Amino acid sequence: MRLDRFLSNLPRFNRQAVRQLLASGGVRLDGQVSRDGRSEVSVFSRVELGDGEVLQAGKRARYFMLHKPLGVVSATEHSDHRTVLDLLDEPDKHELHLAGRLDLNTSGLLLITNDGQWSRRVTLPESQKPKVYLVETEDVIEPVYIEVFARGLYFSFEDLVTQPAELQILAPRRARLTLHEGRYHQVKRMFGHFRNKVVGLHRISIGDIHLDARLAPGQYRALTAREVAGFARD
Ligand code: URA
């Protein structure tokens, strides 16, 4: 919400009082004087008056990376399986949500946060941030896959052609695949085009956030400020 709207929603200020207050430099947003009524206020913003009175303390934004193990479902609740949230030992877990998902039988990097705007930026298909996967397949990965994945594949369900993806063949049945979007079961469907079953799938990075090699499956850590900033608003 805009700062001027936030202030005028408070019973004590009318619109004119808000304009004067802002113009006089009487409002601090996240510690800085803000005269611009169009500044964005979220639940994480701290809003104070010049005399130090706190109008909104601002919730703490929380960001984590988890090494998702196999067999744990990417959901916050599930009747049959353990969920990734069950792996976190954090207060107020119900406030957290997943910034993207991995299939039950996929392991690797999963991002978890309470910041909805941040997670939207992570998951937007148009964000173009590379997501890198290690893939193991049942059959041999032929060089022709490289060209086909780079050209894009038609997904009839969504009626779209996938963004160019980079495939690096590491061994006869092992490859590194870089996607620039995140469609449903995308990796399995791309290999499915060649009737080659994915038997192992592991995500190693999203944008500049790399799965920390010190994290064993099931372990997690808070993201650093730099990792969070990789998905900051432009
Ligand atoms: N593509 C898939 O097919 N599965 C995943 O879990 C992630 C990407």
Side-chain angles (χ1 to χ4, degrees):
M1 164 188 322
R2 287 166 55 129
L3 178 58
D4 50 7
R5 166 74 66 89
F6 171 87
L7 293 167
S8 55
N9 279 350
L10 300 173
R12 65 170 103 170
F13 299 125
N14 60 30
R15 298 248 289 274
Q16 196 188 349
V18 167
R19 268 199 298 277
Q20 284 169 354
L21 189 63
L22 286 167
S24 68
V27 183
R28 279 206 303 268
L29 181 59
D30 294 329
Q32 307 282 338
V33 169
S34 177
R35 291 189 166 80
D36 186 354
R38 292 166 305 179
S39 304
E40 184 68 19
V41 176
S42 75
V43 290
F44 305 111
S45 311
R46 183 178 177 85
V47 187
E48 294 162 273
L49 295 182
D51 62 6
E53 185 189 346
V54 177
L55 299 177
Q56 175 178 281
K59 227 182 232 223
R60 192 164 60 92
R62 296 187 291 164
Y63 308 90
F64 302 100
M65 71 160 70
L66 169 77
H67 184 163
K68 178 195 172 295
L70 301 173
V72 175
V73 75
S74 289
T76 50
E77 282 174 31
H78 199 277
S79 48
D80 303 330
H81 289 282
R82 244 173 6 134
T83 73
V84 290
L85 273 203
D86 294 331
L87 301 171
L88 305 194
D89 181 16
E90 293 295 321
D92 299 322
K93 280 204 287 192
H94 62 278
E95 292 183 352
L96 299 171
H97 63 269
L98 315 181
R101 288 163 189 278
L102 290 173
D103 296 340
L104 187 67
N105 55 1
T106 300
S107 58
L109 177 64
L110 199 64
L111 301 175
I112 300 172
T113 182
N114 62 347
D115 182 345
Q117 293 196 356
W118 187 84
S119 60
R120 263 192 295 284
R121 289 194 292 276
V122 172
T123 52
L124 265 181
E126 307 84 63
S127 86
Q128 301 279 320
K129 297 274 189 188
K131 295 188 176 78
V132 183
Y133 295 87
L134 292 177
V135 190
E136 282 182 43
T137 55
E138 199 160 79
D139 298 322
V140 170
I141 302 167
E142 305 291 350
V144 66
Y145 292 24
I146 297 173
E147 196 190 312
V148 171
F149 288 180
R151 239 190 353 245
L153 281 167
Y154 179 64
F155 277 7
S156 58
F157 183 72
E158 295 92 339
D159 188 25
L160 56 79
V161 176
T162 55
Q163 298 285 321
E166 295 96 56
L167 183 73
Q168 190 186 357
I169 299 174
L170 305 172
R173 293 178 175 76
R174 196 172 149 77
R176 181 198 309 264
L177 179 64
T178 304
L179 302 182
H180 298 272
E181 61 192 333
R183 304 283 169 197
Y184 180 66
H185 290 330
Q186 182 161 350
V187 177
K188 291 173 187 160
R189 290 162 79 193
M190 288 173 71
F191 281 87
H193 173 80
F194 294 102
R195 304 208 191 300
N196 194 352
K197 189 170 172 199
V198 171
V199 294
L201 186 56
H202 180 77
R203 181 157 67 196
I204 53 177
S205 63
I206 303 175
D208 291 331
I209 305 180
H210 293 259
L211 180 62
D212 190 327
R214 292 166 298 188
L215 296 176
Q219 290 185 328
Y220 71 100
R221 69 157 169 83
L223 293 186
T224 63
R226 182 187 282 252
E227 287 167 335
V228 173
F231 288 98
R233 202 170 306 139
D234 293 328

